[in-house]
Amino acid sequence: MKTEKSNPKDVSPAISTYLIAYNSLQTIGWSLIGLIIGQHLLGGTPQLTLYEASKTFLQIFQTAAVLEVLHCIVGFVRSNPVLTAFQVASRVFVVWGILHSVENTQASVGYTLLLAAWTITEIIRYLYYVLNIAKIEAYPLVWLRYTLFIILYPIGVTGELTCIYQALPQVAQTGLYSIKLPNKMNFAFDYQYVLVLIMLSYIPIFPQLYLHMFAQRKKIIGGAAKPKPE
């Protein structure tokens, strides 16, 4: 759940135009993924799994979110670059290090959960940014952004952990991305252990991010008739 603020003060019209274009493209991309999910649920693509139908758009638009770290670093937006980098990296890792790399995760119920949660979250988030940069107030969208996370964030995290957990047996069996001893470098690396450590890292990190979003919700809409401008 990213906390990037896309209405930075004192930015040039060119930067604002770029940010509107970037967030608009992301809104379109995630909306296309949403259409694919809907079509799949209605049985419109029986010859394809949900992963096969959605993977290209997911890989493109989720990987493109790496640009958001750069936006923070160069000052296009007012966000913590370390926090943004962590949040983007965690998703990019799931997309490429788990779903792309470990085939048995692609048909997992975890994939359906994370894709649905990510898609709803991102459509709302990027559309919110577009309107915010354009200085258009849309309180219902603000309310959705700072309310639906209460349900969507745990669903997304459950999906991510489910996929990582289901990847463990195949990673252990195949030695995927692992380096075994002995070798010329005298160096060992076990990808399975990395996945376990990543899963354990959710224990301290998830509550902090989740509570941070509640604090943001209280700041933006808590007890107020309309949101405070950022």
Side-chain angles (χ1 to χ4, degrees):
M1 188 69 63
K2 303 180 187 69
T3 58
E4 175 182 330
K5 300 176 182 178
S6 289
N7 64 331
K9 297 179 179 178
D10 303 323
V11 297
S12 69
I15 293 174
S16 293
T17 300
Y18 162 73
L19 289 174
I20 288 175
Y22 169 78
N23 288 293
S24 295
L25 286 173
Q26 285 282 20
T27 302
I28 293 170
W30 285 97
S31 295
L32 290 173
I33 296 174
L35 289 174
I36 291 171
I37 295 173
Q39 185 180 25
H40 181 79
L41 292 176
L42 294 173
T45 55
Q47 72 279 14
L48 297 175
T49 65
L50 178 59
Y51 179 78
E52 291 169 336
S54 61
K55 68 175 181 180
T56 300
F57 287 127
L58 176 64
Q59 291 169 352
I60 291 172
F61 290 101
Q62 185 57 68
T63 305
V66 172
L67 289 171
E68 294 169 28
V69 181
L70 181 61
H71 296 167
C72 298
I73 294 173
V74 300
F76 285 5
V77 297
R78 299 175 299 165
S79 294
N80 185 320
V82 175
L83 179 60
T84 301
F86 172 80
Q87 294 170 325
V88 171
S90 65
R91 281 205 187 174
V92 172
F93 170 77
V94 170
V95 168
W96 293 104
I98 299 298
L99 297 169
H100 175 74
S101 303
V102 187
E103 186 176 354
N104 71 331
T105 64
Q106 297 168 5
S108 168
V109 65
Y111 180 68
T112 302
L113 291 175
L114 71 83
L115 188 67
W118 289 5
T119 299
I120 297 170
T121 297
E122 298 299 56
I123 291 172
I124 294 171
R125 183 171 73 93
Y126 286 117
L127 183 57
Y128 166 81
Y129 287 159
V130 171
L131 297 179
N132 206 22
I133 298 168
K135 302 186 185 304
I136 299 173
E137 290 191 13
Y139 182 68
L141 192 64
V142 176
W143 186 88
L144 289 173
R145 168 164 164 71
Y146 289 100
T147 301
L148 291 186
F149 82 88
I150 297 172
I151 298 174
L152 294 176
Y153 200 8
I155 290 175
V157 167
T158 299
E160 294 166 26
L161 288 172
T162 299
C163 287
I164 297 173
Y165 178 77
Q166 292 186 336
L168 291 175
Q170 185 172 334
V171 170
Q173 183 178 5
T174 63
L176 179 70
Y177 300 144
S178 297
I179 301 173
K180 303 295 184 181
L181 290 172
N183 58 67
K184 293 181 180 180
M185 298 181 294
N186 196 32
F187 171 78
F189 175 79
D190 196 317
Y191 191 52
Q192 182 185 16
Y193 291 158
V194 171
L195 297 186
V196 172
L197 289 175
I198 289 174
M199 292 179 68
L200 291 175
S201 74
Y202 276 72
I203 297 173
I205 293 173
F206 168 72
Q208 294 183 48
L209 295 178
Y210 196 46
L211 292 175
H212 173 73
M213 287 303 298
F214 273 102
Q216 289 293 102
R217 185 180 194 276
K218 183 177 180 180
K219 175 184 176 182
I220 301 298
I221 66 175
K226 63 179 184 178
K228 301 175 183 178
E230 292 182 339

